[in-house]
Amino acid sequence: MLKTPRDKDFSSGHSVVTLLCLELVTAMSAQKDRWVSSFSFLLFCASSIPRRESARLLQELSPQEYFSSLQAGRASLAYFSHHASPGAQPFLEQIENSAEALQDYGISVVKVNCRKEDVSRYCGKENTLRKAYLFRGSMLIREFPTDALFDVNSVVANVLFALLFNEVKYVETLADLQNIENALKGRSNMVFAYVPATGTAEHRAVMEAAFVYGTVHQFVLTTEATLLRDTGDDEPDVVSARLLFCHCQRATDLAQPCRRTAMGQALTMLNIHRHLKLMGAPLVTEVAEDPEKVSTVHLQLGLPLVFILSQKETYEADRRTAEFVAWQLLGKAGVALLSRDLVDLNILLRSNVALKTPDEGVPVKYLVLEDTDEVITLVEDKSKVGQIQEEEEEEEEEDEDEKQNNNQDIQDDQVVEAVSRDKKRELPLEQILVLTEETFHSALLETARTVVLFYASWEAVSLAVLRSYTEVADHLKGTQGVLLAQVNCWDWPGVCAKENVTQFPTIKIYEKGERWVMYDGMWGTEELTSFIMLSRVSCPLKLATIEEAEGYLRGEFPSELSSYHHTSVLGVFSTATSEAREAFEEAGNILSGHVTMGMYFEDDALALSRKYAVSPPALLLARSGGQSVEGIALSKQSAQDMVRMIRYELLDVFPEITVQNLPRYLQLRKPFLILFSDGDIGEMESEEMLKLAKGRPRQAFVACWLNLKKTPVGRGVLKVYFATVPSLPLLLWVNLHAGGQVFQFPSEQTITEMNVLSWLERLKAGLEIPSSTLSEEDWKPPLPAYDFLQMMETAVPEVPLHPSHHHGDTLVPKNPGGDTTVREEPSQETKAEKGGSPGRDLRGTAPRLAAREKQGKRHSEL
């Protein structure tokens, strides 16, 4: 193999200086506002290249002097001329003009003056005098017809092409190109250039780039326009030169072509150097400092830098998203992955993308974007940044207008309205672990109990529950053995499908990733916290001694619930009641998380039950920390019967009705004897109502009361019953399930057990006239529900994030005016493709409360 000029010591210095000059000129061209110009640096570079001061750039020697001066490995371009050759003058001028450029690459240019009588090989024939000769040492490398060296570009291009024939492959067919690609896969990258003809300025630029980078990348050249089309380049202007960087080093599959990134600028040495420098930069840069202080090669070259904001829980998924975006923006912008966990940034939690421009003094912009297409548009359309910020400002103004002009008559969903009104509030999600497809199963195994909220980021109820969930996380902060996590089913539908999540929101508690229990209660903070705390204890909890059983009834055992007020249920069984015990255990599995259940079935179980005047099998109910224990005989043997009985017995005797507990009492389908009070009820009324509740008629109705100060919605209820709210306290009989009649206890009578029972007898006899009768019309929403399936059929839906291991979109050239990634869907290219395509949605690092909110504010907007 013949050595190139850079394989010798005499030319290595030229290559280093050339590369240094390119670095300086490229940097200065990107920083246009610097006082030092690129031209100044070119002058510096020109003066810095070593030359032999004693020699002219174009030497004139005799044949003997020329051949005796040749040095091994040193290249020279010689033209043999007779003094009487007037037609050679134009060619000599071009040769002389090229001498300086060739000198930069260690190539000397010599005019050899032949005597008339010289009949040697190079001076003796007339046709020989119409050629120039390229030597390396004394070895002839190439003969050039003088008409092929018509200007400086053609001279430099053809000479370098001849010397670099081992580093620049010329191909004519697609098969030749594919063979070179296959040989390079997994080893090196390729620079593929198309020039319409050799000897042009573009050809010279490619050869000069090959001189500098030929040992780093394999250069391939063609002049065949059809070959360029065969590679998949859809650029219609095949007359202009093109350059593609082929990422073969990442490729391992021979069946797939290398990913290609086209250079969109004109083929100049400076542009090629800039393009190769960008291709050599890391695809994604991981940063752990303030973005204002970050500097990358992209910023130095005048390109923007896009930050994808991440956190440790979503690192792998965000890394793939960053790589996906980076391939799309390769040559147009840099992409960095910024971890919130490592940098203390005072930015909105819902921000998921940041943009830093190369302009000095311009602050980093933090944005909320929905998908990767928006990121790409953000870079390609510089005006998009201002547009996004204007839209966010307009949304804020709209929110203010909505707050001022909120008309409840046209708001069909109060949950949607509440979420929309409060959407700008940032949620404290630090205590909640974000789970992805990769981290879900491993996270369940790390903690004794993992609470998982499955929600959809676009659904109003999910977002409302998420707020309660954050409050629960704050209450349970530091609780051992409990981990709170969340899964956005819009981003990770595969996870939710595998976990059989069919509605949003859903909460499940996993025990070491195996057994799980689903929450089916109210979505309030107190109810969720209670469910999580109670689920920590086995249900039923098996007690070994009478001392443990007594401690359990007093609320002292188990210790993790000692400070938690709850009603305890203890099942007492003898050895002869195994069937009832098994049903009780099954009931415990059903009621896990809703109630604490203990079980005692030792030999002395009879002694324990007799203490409370019952015989096994029996239930002992301990209310208020064991201050009162009630014994109930177990006559029903099935698990479902026990569940219904336990739920009924756990209801308060004289409950205060709230929004949270009302459904439990409505399920009894009994009339309500309800006392409305503006504050706490008096001691006398409380005692008399408690007597009614504990009396024999208890089985026939629900005696309860409602505090209008704690539950203001009660005023709205009274306005439905009466035209105006009557004076309080007010005792009513309301039969919602039979006729809907509302009867008012006479205000002139005192509320006592005897007076109320007498009044109830009159009601039963039909002697009282109802104050009002409720409509039998069903309570339906004022407007029909959204038909999401119909909406999906009539509109192109957004592609949900991560459809579980499917390849992403094929990348194709979008803008011939800029660097564009060309991809033919290789299966082996990157980890992003191996691990599943990141899709088009940006998951960000926090739920976006504003995401897709415009879908569901009012039906009139659809």
Side-chain angles (χ1 to χ4, degrees), residues 456-470:
S457 56
W458 53 267
E459 197 260 333
V461 177
S462 289
L463 299 181
V465 171
L466 186 59
R467 298 180 185 182
S468 298
Y469 201 57
T470 59

Side-chain angles (χ1 to χ4, degrees), residues 173-335:
T173 65
L174 183 60
D176 293 338
L177 180 64
Q178 290 174 342
N179 289 337
I180 296 175
E181 270 195 357
N182 291 336
L184 293 174
K185 285 178 180 177
R187 296 174 46 247
S188 179
N189 296 318
M190 181 176 73
V191 179
F192 174 57
Y194 160 77
V195 294
T198 59
T200 59
E202 293 84 359
H203 184 205
R204 173 184 174 179
V206 174
M207 291 304 104
E208 290 179 321
F211 183 87
V212 178
Y213 294 100
T215 56
V216 180
H217 310 301
Q218 174 65 62
F219 280 71
V220 178
L221 181 72
T222 189
T223 57
E224 302 293 332
T226 55
L227 177 55
L228 184 65
R229 292 193 187 96
D230 291 341
T231 61
D233 193 299
D234 297 327
E235 174 59 47
D237 185 12
V238 295
V239 177
S240 61
R242 297 275 286 166
L243 185 140
L244 301 173
F245 186 89
C246 305
H247 305 268
C248 296
Q249 194 170 15
R250 294 175 176 266
T252 55
D253 187 356
L254 294 178
Q256 296 289 343
C258 301
R259 186 193 291 262
R260 304 181 180 101
T261 303
M263 188 183 80
Q265 291 77 28
L267 258 68
T268 66
M269 180 56 189
L270 193 60
N271 287 339
I272 295 175
H273 165 72
R274 180 177 179 273
H275 187 67
L276 296 183
K277 192 170 179 64
L278 291 173
M279 297 302 102
L283 183 63
V284 175
T285 304
E286 297 195 28
V287 296
E289 60 178 327
D290 189 337
E292 297 285 358
K293 301 177 182 178
V294 173
S295 178
T296 66
V297 64
H298 305 86
L299 293 170
Q300 296 164 8
L301 295 178
L303 297 178
L305 181 62
V306 176
F307 294 88
I308 303 296
L309 306 187
S310 178
Q311 63 184 16
K312 62 182 180 181
E313 291 84 359
T314 59
Y315 170 80
E316 292 298 333
D318 291 331
R319 173 80 191 187
R320 289 200 302 275
T321 296
E323 290 178 354
F324 180 82
V325 173
W327 279 116
Q328 291 271 41
L329 295 178
L330 195 58
K332 300 177 183 178
V335 176

Side-chain angles (χ1 to χ4, degrees), residues 683-694:
E683 183 177 351
M684 187 190 75
E685 288 90 349
S686 177
E687 290 179 356
E688 295 297 325
M689 291 296 295
L690 193 58
K691 292 178 184 178
L692 284 167
K694 290 183 177 179

